[in-house]
Amino acid sequence: MEHIISAIKKKQKFKRIIMVVVAQFISALVFNLLLLPLNIVTGGTGGIATITKHLYHLDPSMIILILQAACLIISFMYLGLEKTAGAALASFSYPICVSLTAPIAKLITIDTSDVLILVIFAGVVSGIANGMVYKTGYNGGGLGIINQIMFEKFNIAISKTSLIVNGIVIIL
């Protein structure tokens, strides 16, 4: 009986991992097809990558990877191994997906005459992708880790810290 329960848990874990990777792939497509070409900063590590790409012509996937890795180190220091392990999958799959989907943006041209529609579409699709990640029980990684630390250590609501952290990125 324990063997069957173990097999079911492994199958569920595999499905959750696939769901996170698919969600990160969708987010990366939105980033490369809409947000980056339009220089739209939405917050988080992707927003910082957009800024550094615009100002310094640095590779967005590398910036995201560096920032995600730094956040994982901070997560390990303050939240421990268990919570950090949950964020690691999304933290590493997102920059990989950004790198893999970058060539697609060169192949597909999108009419950017109606920026408002594109921003709304990007927001809806990104929201669905983020919801997929959260549904699995995993953390999206990145600057969301800072929000989680502020909640765990200082009991500050994640919504408040998210507004402040992402607001700072957007203002930059």
Side-chain angles (χ1 to χ4, degrees):
M1 184 68 165
E2 287 181 35
H3 177 69
I4 294 171
I5 293 171
S6 175
I8 291 170
K9 284 184 180 180
K10 283 182 183 178
K11 187 175 180 181
Q12 288 173 344
K13 187 173 185 175
F14 181 74
K15 283 182 180 179
R16 290 171 48 211
I17 289 170
I18 294 298
M19 194 172 193
V20 168
V21 173
V22 167
Q24 297 298 58
F25 185 81
I26 293 167
S27 291
L29 275 174
V30 169
F31 177 78
N32 279 315
L33 289 173
L34 300 172
L35 301 177
L36 194 59
L38 294 171
N39 286 322
I40 296 173
V41 177
T42 58
T45 57
I48 295 170
T50 301
I51 294 167
T52 58
K53 167 79 170 162
H54 179 73
L55 294 176
Y56 307 111
H57 308 290
L58 297 174
D59 178 30
S61 61
M62 190 56 63
I63 297 301
I64 293 169
L65 179 64
I66 291 167
L67 292 171
Q68 300 275 55
C71 289
L72 281 175
I73 291 168
I74 293 168
S75 174
F76 180 71
M77 291 174 11
Y78 288 99
L79 299 175
L81 180 61
E82 186 177 327
K83 290 189 179 180
T84 302
L89 174 63
S91 292
F92 289 118
S93 62
Y94 183 61
I96 290 169
C97 289
V98 167
S99 181
L100 292 174
T101 59
I104 295 172
K106 294 176 184 171
L107 298 173
I108 299 172
T109 53
I110 295 176
D111 178 16
T112 58
S113 61
D114 196 347
V115 176
L116 180 61
I117 295 294
L118 294 175
V119 169
I120 291 169
F121 179 76
V124 169
V125 174
S126 294
I128 291 168
N130 286 331
M132 288 171 64
V133 171
Y134 294 129
K135 184 176 179 174
T136 64
Y138 289 116
N139 180 321
L143 296 183
I145 290 171
I146 306 302
N147 303 332
Q148 189 174 3
I149 291 170
M150 297 303 284
F151 176 73
E152 301 258 340
K153 299 300 180 189
F154 302 107
N155 204 28
I156 300 172
I158 290 176
S159 59
K160 287 181 183 178
T161 56
S162 178
L163 179 66
I164 292 167
V165 170
N166 289 318
I168 290 169
V169 173
I170 291 169
I171 289 169
L172 290 174

